[in-house]
Every structure is written in structure tokens, then in C-alpha cells.
Amino acid sequence: MVLIFLLTEDVPVVYKEGQMKKKRGNKYLENYINGEMIGPESDTYIDNYNPATGAVYSFIPDSDKKDVAIAVKAADKAFNSWSQTPVDKRCRIMLRIADLIEQNLENLALAESIDNGKPLSLAKSIDIPRASANFRFFATGIMHFASESHIMENSAINYTNRKPLGVVGCISPWNLPLYLFTWKIAPAIATGNCVVAKPSEITPMTADLLSGICIEAGLPPGVLNIVHGYGHKVGKAITEHPKVKGISFTGGTKTGQEIAQVTAGTFKKLSLEMGGKNPNIIFADCNFDEMMRTTLRSSFSNQGQICLCGPRIFIEKPIYEKFKKEFVERTKKLKVGDPLSPKSRQGAVVSKEHFEKILYYIDLAKKEGGKILCGGKKATVTASRCKNGWFIEPTIIEGLPPKCRTNQEEIFGPVATIMPFERESEVIRYANSTPYGLSATIWTEDISKAHRTAALIEAGIIWVNCWLVRDLRTPFGGVKNSGMGREGGWEALRFFTEPQNVCVKLQ
Ligand code: NDP
């Protein structure tokens, strides 16, 4: 274990021993390009906030298209050698990265919690273990990835070569920073591509730490390049660059549309994972206790900032009042507090802008006739260091129709609405009424009803009697405005490769 973490004034920094120098000091993050940590060409930086305190605690390179051009050049140069590197060697390097993430779990989780505002316990149990699992999963997956052959009786044999695309772009959001960043990078490099990646400028810290880990693990220079900065500068430059052959993006639907427009004329391969407004359908014959425990999580985990959260809760009429009473009681007990305290179940939301957006939607819900059953405002947090942080009370709203704006637009915060229903056909109509189609949860002990409902819901991912149970081999993604393409398992390895058919005449 050669990595060193420093935690000075809230700034976790990891570097290989002997490399602990930064031109501007530890508070300044750097780009990871061609195997080196370097500042942006512009030499300008963006403030990075700690959402729990509302204070600036570090600075991010304000990179632009010049930095992206340098990164693409490095990736392009590395491509020939990396794509020819035997899969077992690629696998070994990626497993080293997975090991190093695991060994540095505590510090990476601390960095994620400080940077994002999420409870440290969540970063420790979900975000960082999953980042390591992503590398491990695709490192070993590539060892078993095979292509097809098609034999034409006595005349010819076809086989399919799956070739890496070349240089690819990976762009990720702020809600699950290292988790989603590595979910894209791992399959891209496993298949022999070289990557130019951009984390969200709102949560760049663990991507910066990943750079140090990749250096330590011996990832050859140029295979992964991380360029920090704004979406409209760095993200746009990646999507526009003619040498970038594919883009894997996760983020909002509007940004996904912009990327689709920018790339339309260039025929880049695109995978877009976008927003959601997922239904949570609760039938009266469900296992009530199990449903209630899970519904608290599916409504408010990560302050409701998970694309798979189910903020539209439909409850069958016979259990509506019972559900409402218990859900409100238990939500009131969710402790909102300093993300670094083990007692906190809810941390801060990610930014001031997002904080204001959520409060705007709570206000809109009231204007639309919604009744706030609990929460509905800024949360007061006892820790004095958090007095200027962006905390919101978990909020439950009733009395709104399924088609109002509150129930149609993505809020992406600790806000859930509850609505009664009477018939299966009615709830399916409600569930499908938004432009989104990422996931849905169904609660019932009647297996036929579960299958029937699942088949009729317009969503890429359905959970029956559970939520966020993830098998990395399964196809992941949404329909309608929630997504284009699928991630996960072979789907990801196929996305990052181009099939070439070779037909050989037998005689
Ligand atoms: P954004 O769409 O704002 O940003 C996502 C990423 O794209 C960021 O790195 C952003 O940079 C970058 N970006 C912004 N503009 C451009 C552009 N013009 N060209 C290229 N890249 C650009 O999403 P958020 O970060 O706000 O994340 C929240 C959203 O992500 C929610 O809608 C949520 O539903 C969705 N999401 C979807 C998931 C899924 O699997 N379907 C999973 C998780 C989240 P910058 O931060 O600098 O603006």
C-alpha cells in the first residue's frame, strides 16, 4: 500500500509516495492526462463547495477544449498499444485498480461524503464498494467475452471480430460520483478503448483520487485521461471532438438531448442514461413491513438524488390511510444531520442551485394544491459547522393529481408524493403518464399480478418486492426520455466495441 491520503482542512488528497507535490498546493485539483497530473492550459480554477458547510474547500481546473485536445491526443497515441495488450494483462491492471479502491475505502468514502454531502455511511457501504466492483466485474468479464460465428453448411464460415472503438468519451453526473464514473470507464478500457472522461464539476474529488490510484496501479499513460471542468466547455469539447468515436453519458435529459444534437451529424456511437420520475406501486396485498422499510429508502436515500428513486408513490386504497400514517411517522424520524456523523440518515443536497430547485418544487406543489404531510422546508442541523449547509427536510406531499407538474417533472430531491388508486388498469395509466421510463417498483404478494403489471409498465428496469437490488450482468437503462442504449454486462462490452464480420469461403 503506497498511497497516502492527507486530510487537511477538509481536503483529502491521495498520491503515490514521492509525488506529493502540487504546483498550487493540495487544494487545487489537477487533470490526469497522459499518465501525469497537470493543471489546465488556462491556469484558471473553479470553486468547489462542501454542501454540508456551504463553503469553498478546493479548486477545480477550469479546463477547456485545449485540454480536451491534449487528452484526446494522449488517448489516441495510447490506443494502438492498449488495444493490442492481451486481455489477461488488461484484466490484471484493472484488478489492481479495484484492489486499491477497496484498500482506500475509508478515505475515498470520506472524500465522497465531503464533496457530495451524502452521509459517510452511505458512501462507505454503497458508492465506493460499487466503484471497486465495477472495475472487478469488467476486468473479469472481458476474460469471458466471446463473439459469435455463423457456419454456412459446406460453403463458408463467418466470424465476428469485436474491435474497440478507439478514443471514447465518458461523462458522468454528481449524484453517485465515483460509482457512475467507474461504471463507464471500466467497460471502456476493458475492451481496449482509451478514454477521455469528465466527472461532474460539482463533485470532482474522487475522480481526482482515482487518477492517483490509476498511476499507482500501473495503468499505461493515456489509457484513461480525466479532464475536469464545466459541461458546456469540457463535456461539449469531448462530444464535438472528431477523434472521439463513442460517448457514454449519464445525466439529465436536457443535456442528453444536447449531446444527441451535437453528435447527430458525426455518427458517433451514443449511450445516454438520463432522468427519471419512477413510480412505486403498492398493492394492498403486499408484505407491508418489508415494503415500508424499502419505500423509506427508495424515496429518500442519498437525499432522493438517485435516478432510480421512486418519488411517485401509488397506494391501493384499502391500505392508503395505514400507509400514510406510518410513512409520515417514520419519515419524521429520519435524522437530517452532518454527513460525517454516523447518526445522520440524511445529509446535504449537492449544491445551492439544487437546494433552491428543490424548494421551488415544494412551493410549486403547494400552489398546485398539494398538502405537505411532513418536511417541506430547509432542515435545521445541530452541528454548528453545518449552519450554512444545504439541508432539506424529507418531504411527503398528498392531494396532487398524477398529471400535475410536481408529478411529471424530475425534482431529484427528498420529496415524495403519495396518491391512492383503485384498479390495476388505473395505476398502470398513472405510472406510464410521464415522459420518463427508467425504473418502477411493484409491491404485491400475487405473483401473477406482479408479472402482469411489470409487462405493462413503460420502464427499462422493474423491481418486484425490492428496490436497488443490482446484478451487474443485467441490462441497465431506460426507455422514452430516460435513455438510449443499455449499460451493464455484455451490453456495455458490446457498446464499446464495433462488430466486424469476416466471411471465409470453405472450398
Ligand atoms: P447534467 O446533465 O447536468 O450533467 C451530467 C454531466 O454532463 C456533467 O458532467 C455535466 O457537467 C455534463 N454536461 C453538462 N452539459 C454538457 C454538454 N453540453 N455537453 C456534454 N456534457 C455536458 O446532470 P446532473 O449532473 O445534474 O445529474 C443529475 C441528472 O442525472 C438527473 O437528471 C438524474 O436523473 C440523472 N441520472 C441518470 C441516471 C441513469 O442511470 N439514468 C443515473 C444518475 C443520474 P457539469 O456538471 O459541469 O455541468
Side-chain angles (χ1 to χ4, degrees), residues 436-455:
Y436 297 107
L438 186 55
S439 72
T441 307
I442 301 166
W443 291 95
T444 175
E445 292 292 285
D446 176 342
I447 192 70
S448 305
K449 198 194 306 179
H451 286 302
R452 216 163 45 227
T453 313

PDB file of all heavy atoms in Angstrom, residues 436-455:
ATOM      1  N   TYR A 436     -40.914  10.036 -18.806  1.00  0.00           N
ATOM      2  CA  TYR A 436     -39.767   9.201 -18.417  1.00  0.00           C
ATOM      3  C   TYR A 436     -40.109   7.723 -18.389  1.00  0.00           C
ATOM      4  O   TYR A 436     -41.275   7.351 -18.348  1.00  0.00           O
ATOM      5  CB  TYR A 436     -39.280   9.622 -17.028  1.00  0.00           C
ATOM      6  CG  TYR A 436     -38.759  11.041 -16.974  1.00  0.00           C
ATOM      7  CD1 TYR A 436     -39.498  12.043 -16.354  1.00  0.00           C
ATOM      8  CD2 TYR A 436     -37.545  11.375 -17.553  1.00  0.00           C
ATOM      9  CE1 TYR A 436     -39.028  13.349 -16.311  1.00  0.00           C
ATOM     10  CE2 TYR A 436     -37.066  12.673 -17.508  1.00  0.00           C
ATOM     11  CZ  TYR A 436     -37.811  13.660 -16.892  1.00  0.00           C
ATOM     12  OH  TYR A 436     -37.337  14.935 -16.846  1.00  0.00           O
ATOM     13  N   GLY A 437     -39.086   6.889 -18.344  1.00  0.00           N
ATOM     14  CA  GLY A 437     -39.298   5.441 -18.262  1.00  0.00           C
ATOM     15  C   GLY A 437     -38.044   4.720 -17.807  1.00  0.00           C
ATOM     16  O   GLY A 437     -37.563   3.820 -18.479  1.00  0.00           O
ATOM     17  N   LEU A 438     -37.514   5.138 -16.648  1.00  0.00           N
ATOM     18  CA  LEU A 438     -36.274   4.495 -16.198  1.00  0.00           C
ATOM     19  C   LEU A 438     -36.573   3.216 -15.405  1.00  0.00           C
ATOM     20  O   LEU A 438     -36.207   2.119 -15.832  1.00  0.00           O
ATOM     21  CB  LEU A 438     -35.440   5.486 -15.368  1.00  0.00           C
ATOM     22  CG  LEU A 438     -34.051   4.989 -14.951  1.00  0.00           C
ATOM     23  CD1 LEU A 438     -33.239   4.553 -16.148  1.00  0.00           C
ATOM     24  CD2 LEU A 438     -33.301   6.068 -14.179  1.00  0.00           C
ATOM     25  N   SER A 439     -37.225   3.359 -14.251  1.00  0.00           N
ATOM     26  CA  SER A 439     -37.483   2.161 -13.448  1.00  0.00           C
ATOM     27  C   SER A 439     -38.851   2.248 -12.783  1.00  0.00           C
ATOM     28  O   SER A 439     -39.508   3.300 -12.812  1.00  0.00           O
ATOM     29  CB  SER A 439     -36.391   1.996 -12.385  1.00  0.00           C
ATOM     30  OG  SER A 439     -36.546   2.963 -11.369  1.00  0.00           O
ATOM     31  N   ALA A 440     -39.261   1.125 -12.192  1.00  0.00           N
ATOM     32  CA  ALA A 440     -40.511   1.090 -11.429  1.00  0.00           C
ATOM     33  C   ALA A 440     -40.384   0.019 -10.366  1.00  0.00           C
ATOM     34  O   ALA A 440     -39.624  -0.950 -10.531  1.00  0.00           O
ATOM     35  CB  ALA A 440     -41.694   0.775 -12.342  1.00  0.00           C
ATOM     36  N   THR A 441     -41.112   0.206  -9.271  1.00  0.00           N
ATOM     37  CA  THR A 441     -41.141  -0.814  -8.215  1.00  0.00           C
ATOM     38  C   THR A 441     -42.591  -1.246  -8.021  1.00  0.00           C
ATOM     39  O   THR A 441     -43.496  -0.416  -8.034  1.00  0.00           O
ATOM     40  CB  THR A 441     -40.589  -0.233  -6.894  1.00  0.00           C
ATOM     41  OG1 THR A 441     -39.322   0.333  -7.160  1.00  0.00           O
ATOM     42  CG2 THR A 441     -40.433  -1.300  -5.833  1.00  0.00           C
ATOM     43  N   ILE A 442     -42.779  -2.568  -7.862  1.00  0.00           N
ATOM     44  CA  ILE A 442     -44.129  -3.104  -7.676  1.00  0.00           C
ATOM     45  C   ILE A 442     -44.133  -3.928  -6.390  1.00  0.00           C
ATOM     46  O   ILE A 442     -43.268  -4.795  -6.207  1.00  0.00           O
ATOM     47  CB  ILE A 442     -44.519  -4.013  -8.877  1.00  0.00           C
ATOM     48  CG1 ILE A 442     -44.461  -3.211 -10.191  1.00  0.00           C
ATOM     49  CG2 ILE A 442     -45.891  -4.646  -8.672  1.00  0.00           C
ATOM     50  CD1 ILE A 442     -44.485  -4.086 -11.436  1.00  0.00           C
ATOM     51  N   TRP A 443     -45.112  -3.658  -5.536  1.00  0.00           N
ATOM     52  CA  TRP A 443     -45.238  -4.416  -4.281  1.00  0.00           C
ATOM     53  C   TRP A 443     -46.533  -5.201  -4.274  1.00  0.00           C
ATOM     54  O   TRP A 443     -47.621  -4.631  -4.246  1.00  0.00           O
ATOM     55  CB  TRP A 443     -45.201  -3.469  -3.076  1.00  0.00           C
ATOM     56  CG  TRP A 443     -43.851  -2.845  -2.888  1.00  0.00           C
ATOM     57  CD1 TRP A 443     -43.432  -1.642  -3.344  1.00  0.00           C
ATOM     58  CD2 TRP A 443     -42.734  -3.424  -2.204  1.00  0.00           C
ATOM     59  NE1 TRP A 443     -42.125  -1.424  -2.994  1.00  0.00           N
ATOM     60  CE2 TRP A 443     -41.664  -2.496  -2.282  1.00  0.00           C
ATOM     61  CE3 TRP A 443     -42.520  -4.630  -1.526  1.00  0.00           C
ATOM     62  CZ2 TRP A 443     -40.411  -2.739  -1.720  1.00  0.00           C
ATOM     63  CZ3 TRP A 443     -41.277  -4.867  -0.963  1.00  0.00           C
ATOM     64  CH2 TRP A 443     -40.239  -3.942  -1.061  1.00  0.00           C
ATOM     65  N   THR A 444     -46.427  -6.523  -4.319  1.00  0.00           N
ATOM     66  CA  THR A 444     -47.600  -7.404  -4.216  1.00  0.00           C
ATOM     67  C   THR A 444     -47.109  -8.810  -3.896  1.00  0.00           C
ATOM     68  O   THR A 444     -45.997  -9.188  -4.276  1.00  0.00           O
ATOM     69  CB  THR A 444     -48.404  -7.435  -5.535  1.00  0.00           C
ATOM     70  OG1 THR A 444     -49.452  -8.397  -5.404  1.00  0.00           O
ATOM     71  CG2 THR A 444     -47.578  -7.818  -6.739  1.00  0.00           C
ATOM     72  N   GLU A 445     -47.947  -9.584  -3.209  1.00  0.00           N
ATOM     73  CA  GLU A 445     -47.613 -10.993  -2.955  1.00  0.00           C
ATOM     74  C   GLU A 445     -48.247 -11.888  -4.023  1.00  0.00           C
ATOM     75  O   GLU A 445     -48.067 -13.096  -4.000  1.00  0.00           O
ATOM     76  CB  GLU A 445     -48.094 -11.421  -1.568  1.00  0.00           C
ATOM     77  CG  GLU A 445     -47.341 -10.754  -0.426  1.00  0.00           C
ATOM     78  CD  GLU A 445     -45.887 -11.184  -0.320  1.00  0.00           C
ATOM     79  OE1 GLU A 445     -45.633 -12.309   0.143  1.00  0.00           O
ATOM     80  OE2 GLU A 445     -44.995 -10.403  -0.721  1.00  0.00           O
ATOM     81  N   ASP A 446     -48.989 -11.282  -4.943  1.00  0.00           N
ATOM     82  CA  ASP A 446     -49.651 -12.044  -6.001  1.00  0.00           C
ATOM     83  C   ASP A 446     -48.728 -12.055  -7.221  1.00  0.00           C
ATOM     84  O   ASP A 446     -48.592 -11.055  -7.932  1.00  0.00           O
ATOM     85  CB  ASP A 446     -50.998 -11.355  -6.318  1.00  0.00           C
ATOM     86  CG  ASP A 446     -51.738 -12.012  -7.480  1.00  0.00           C
ATOM     87  OD1 ASP A 446     -51.106 -12.744  -8.259  1.00  0.00           O
ATOM     88  OD2 ASP A 446     -52.947 -11.754  -7.603  1.00  0.00           O
ATOM     89  N   ILE A 447     -48.123 -13.184  -7.465  1.00  0.00           N
ATOM     90  CA  ILE A 447     -47.077 -13.270  -8.489  1.00  0.00           C
ATOM     91  C   ILE A 447     -47.627 -12.997  -9.899  1.00  0.00           C
ATOM     92  O   ILE A 447     -46.957 -12.378 -10.727  1.00  0.00           O
ATOM     93  CB  ILE A 447     -46.316 -14.633  -8.387  1.00  0.00           C
ATOM     94  CG1 ILE A 447     -45.047 -14.622  -9.236  1.00  0.00           C
ATOM     95  CG2 ILE A 447     -47.186 -15.818  -8.715  1.00  0.00           C
ATOM     96  CD1 ILE A 447     -43.972 -13.730  -8.706  1.00  0.00           C
ATOM     97  N   SER A 448     -48.858 -13.438 -10.142  1.00  0.00           N
ATOM     98  CA  SER A 448     -49.437 -13.196 -11.480  1.00  0.00           C
ATOM     99  C   SER A 448     -49.639 -11.701 -11.695  1.00  0.00           C
ATOM    100  O   SER A 448     -49.342 -11.157 -12.762  1.00  0.00           O
ATOM    101  CB  SER A 448     -50.781 -13.887 -11.632  1.00  0.00           C
ATOM    102  OG  SER A 448     -50.633 -15.234 -11.360  1.00  0.00           O
ATOM    103  N   LYS A 449     -50.112 -11.031 -10.644  1.00  0.00           N
ATOM    104  CA  LYS A 449     -50.330  -9.586 -10.754  1.00  0.00           C
ATOM    105  C   LYS A 449     -48.990  -8.869 -10.987  1.00  0.00           C
ATOM    106  O   LYS A 449     -48.906  -7.922 -11.775  1.00  0.00           O
ATOM    107  CB  LYS A 449     -50.995  -9.081  -9.472  1.00  0.00           C
ATOM    108  CG  LYS A 449     -51.639  -7.727  -9.651  1.00  0.00           C
ATOM    109  CD  LYS A 449     -52.002  -7.045  -8.353  1.00  0.00           C
ATOM    110  CE  LYS A 449     -52.865  -7.855  -7.427  1.00  0.00           C
ATOM    111  NZ  LYS A 449     -53.163  -7.177  -6.178  1.00  0.00           N
ATOM    112  N   ALA A 450     -47.978  -9.357 -10.300  1.00  0.00           N
ATOM    113  CA  ALA A 450     -46.646  -8.741 -10.441  1.00  0.00           C
ATOM    114  C   ALA A 450     -46.173  -8.834 -11.899  1.00  0.00           C
ATOM    115  O   ALA A 450     -45.739  -7.853 -12.498  1.00  0.00           O
ATOM    116  CB  ALA A 450     -45.653  -9.412  -9.509  1.00  0.00           C
ATOM    117  N   HIS A 451     -46.278 -10.033 -12.483  1.00  0.00           N
ATOM    118  CA  HIS A 451     -45.829 -10.210 -13.882  1.00  0.00           C
ATOM    119  C   HIS A 451     -46.666  -9.362 -14.838  1.00  0.00           C
ATOM    120  O   HIS A 451     -46.152  -8.740 -15.756  1.00  0.00           O
ATOM    121  CB  HIS A 451     -45.955 -11.684 -14.300  1.00  0.00           C
ATOM    122  CG  HIS A 451     -44.894 -12.560 -13.695  1.00  0.00           C
ATOM    123  ND1 HIS A 451     -43.564 -12.323 -13.885  1.00  0.00           N
ATOM    124  CD2 HIS A 451     -44.973 -13.665 -12.920  1.00  0.00           C
ATOM    125  CE1 HIS A 451     -42.870 -13.255 -13.239  1.00  0.00           C
ATOM    126  NE2 HIS A 451     -43.702 -14.070 -12.638  1.00  0.00           N
ATOM    127  N   ARG A 452     -47.981  -9.398 -14.594  1.00  0.00           N
ATOM    128  CA  ARG A 452     -48.908  -8.668 -15.453  1.00  0.00           C
ATOM    129  C   ARG A 452     -48.577  -7.170 -15.447  1.00  0.00           C
ATOM    130  O   ARG A 452     -48.464  -6.531 -16.484  1.00  0.00           O
ATOM    131  CB  ARG A 452     -50.309  -8.869 -14.876  1.00  0.00           C
ATOM    132  CG  ARG A 452     -51.402  -8.983 -15.867  1.00  0.00           C
ATOM    133  CD  ARG A 452     -52.669  -9.579 -15.284  1.00  0.00           C
ATOM    134  NE  ARG A 452     -53.087  -9.055 -13.994  1.00  0.00           N
ATOM    135  CZ  ARG A 452     -53.454  -9.830 -12.961  1.00  0.00           C
ATOM    136  NH1 ARG A 452     -53.423 -11.146 -13.067  1.00  0.00           N
ATOM    137  NH2 ARG A 452     -53.850  -9.294 -11.816  1.00  0.00           N
ATOM    138  N   THR A 453     -48.393  -6.630 -14.248  1.00  0.00           N
ATOM    139  CA  THR A 453     -48.118  -5.196 -14.125  1.00  0.00           C
ATOM    140  C   THR A 453     -46.760  -4.866 -14.727  1.00  0.00           C
ATOM    141  O   THR A 453     -46.620  -3.894 -15.476  1.00  0.00           O
ATOM    142  CB  THR A 453     -48.176  -4.771 -12.634  1.00  0.00           C
ATOM    143  OG1 THR A 453     -49.349  -5.311 -12.059  1.00  0.00           O
ATOM    144  CG2 THR A 453     -48.172  -3.276 -12.468  1.00  0.00           C
ATOM    145  N   ALA A 454     -45.763  -5.685 -14.406  1.00  0.00           N
ATOM    146  CA  ALA A 454     -44.403  -5.431 -14.915  1.00  0.00           C
ATOM    147  C   ALA A 454     -44.412  -5.325 -16.437  1.00  0.00           C
ATOM    148  O   ALA A 454     -43.791  -4.434 -17.020  1.00  0.00           O
ATOM    149  CB  ALA A 454     -43.451  -6.530 -14.457  1.00  0.00           C
ATOM    150  N   ALA A 455     -45.143  -6.228 -17.074  1.00  0.00           N
ATOM    151  CA  ALA A 455     -45.148  -6.257 -18.543  1.00  0.00           C
ATOM    152  C   ALA A 455     -45.753  -4.988 -19.132  1.00  0.00           C
ATOM    153  O   ALA A 455     -45.402  -4.591 -20.242  1.00  0.00           O
ATOM    154  CB  ALA A 455     -45.912  -7.485 -19.026  1.00  0.00           C
TER     155      ALA A 455
END
